[in-house]
Amino acid sequence: MNVTVLEFAIAFLLFAVALTLFLVLRLAARVAALEGALHAPRLQIGDVVPDFEGRRAADGGSFTSAGLAGGNTALIFLSAGCPQCVAKRPDLLAMLPGMNRAEVTFWIVPADDAHDLSEIVGGSALEAHVLILKSDVRRRLNPNNIVPSYLFIDDQMVVQDQSHMEDENWLDFVRQMKAISTETAEPV
């Protein structure tokens, strides 16, 4: 084998090793960043919800979290690509009159940038309850992007509960709101 071919082969192998090392280190950095995002600190029970802004999907009007103070609120994080989220539609519709009677403000927040929840809210009264938030705001409120999930906020803007929409607290809330929905108005 001549020296020029051998030098070329060695140079090529060194380049391949350097490129592989570069790509492995870059991949490791991305994995570390994603792991950090997956374990981002969640709002805890008793935390004050940070101020945030968004827009109402129904009319495009601006929204600020200051408007939630003084009342009880449920933020519900859903994604159209999530079959469990789509399956929540009947419960949300059945709960809507109860939440109105109990004066619980609720907003459905799309958990992704597409903001398309038409499969979940389309053609129903739920359309008026969609709140569009920028991705950084969604990450502060739902850092691990868990869907379907909820965040209960009291009248002082303090987190009362948050979890996946299959936990006992959510199921109890659904039962209560459905019960209030089916109550007939008492005579005055």
Side-chain angles (χ1 to χ4, degrees):
M1 185 182 275
N2 95 23
V3 173
T4 307
V5 171
L6 185 59
E7 288 174 340
F8 177 75
I10 290 173
F12 179 76
L13 287 173
L14 287 173
F15 173 76
V17 168
L19 180 62
T20 301
L21 182 60
F22 170 76
L23 292 173
V24 166
L25 290 174
R26 189 168 175 183
L27 179 62
R30 287 192 177 212
V31 167
L34 287 173
E35 284 180 349
L38 287 175
H39 301 293
R42 293 175 33 178
L43 290 169
Q44 301 296 316
I45 294 174
D47 287 351
V48 175
V49 175
D51 292 337
F52 63 91
E53 296 179 357
R55 67 179 170 83
R56 296 180 305 271
D59 62 9
S62 64
F63 173 91
T64 65
S65 58
L68 300 176
N72 294 309
T73 303
L75 294 180
I76 301 167
F77 299 90
L78 301 175
S79 173
C82 162
Q84 290 175 313
C85 296
V86 175
K88 297 298 178 199
R89 177 184 166 106
D91 277 344
L92 292 172
L93 284 168
M95 295 166 57
L96 186 56
M99 285 190 278
N100 288 335
R101 285 189 188 142
E103 297 182 2
V104 174
T105 301
F106 91 101
W107 290 102
I108 299 170
V109 179
D112 50 48
D113 288 329
H115 303 149
D116 180 20
L117 293 179
S118 57
E119 191 173 345
I120 299 170
V121 304
S124 75
L126 297 174
E127 287 180 324
H129 295 274
V130 176
L131 181 61
I132 306 298
L133 301 176
K134 291 182 180 177
S135 60
D136 63 321
V137 174
R138 284 194 320 268
R139 276 193 300 275
R140 281 188 298 164
L141 298 173
N142 185 11
N144 298 324
N145 202 30
I146 298 170
V147 292
S149 66
Y150 68 91
L151 179 64
F152 290 149
I153 305 166
D154 73 9
D155 60 336
Q156 300 297 309
M157 298 299 293
V158 174
V159 174
Q160 294 301 307
D161 197 11
Q162 75 165 359
S163 191
H164 193 270
M165 289 173 70
E166 298 299 326
D167 80 341
E168 190 54 41
N169 290 340
W170 174 260
L171 297 175
D172 188 47
F173 179 67
V174 170
R175 284 188 289 274
Q176 289 175 36
M177 293 303 108
K178 284 182 174 180
I180 293 170
S181 293
T182 58
E183 290 176 359
T184 56
E186 295 183 23
V188 178

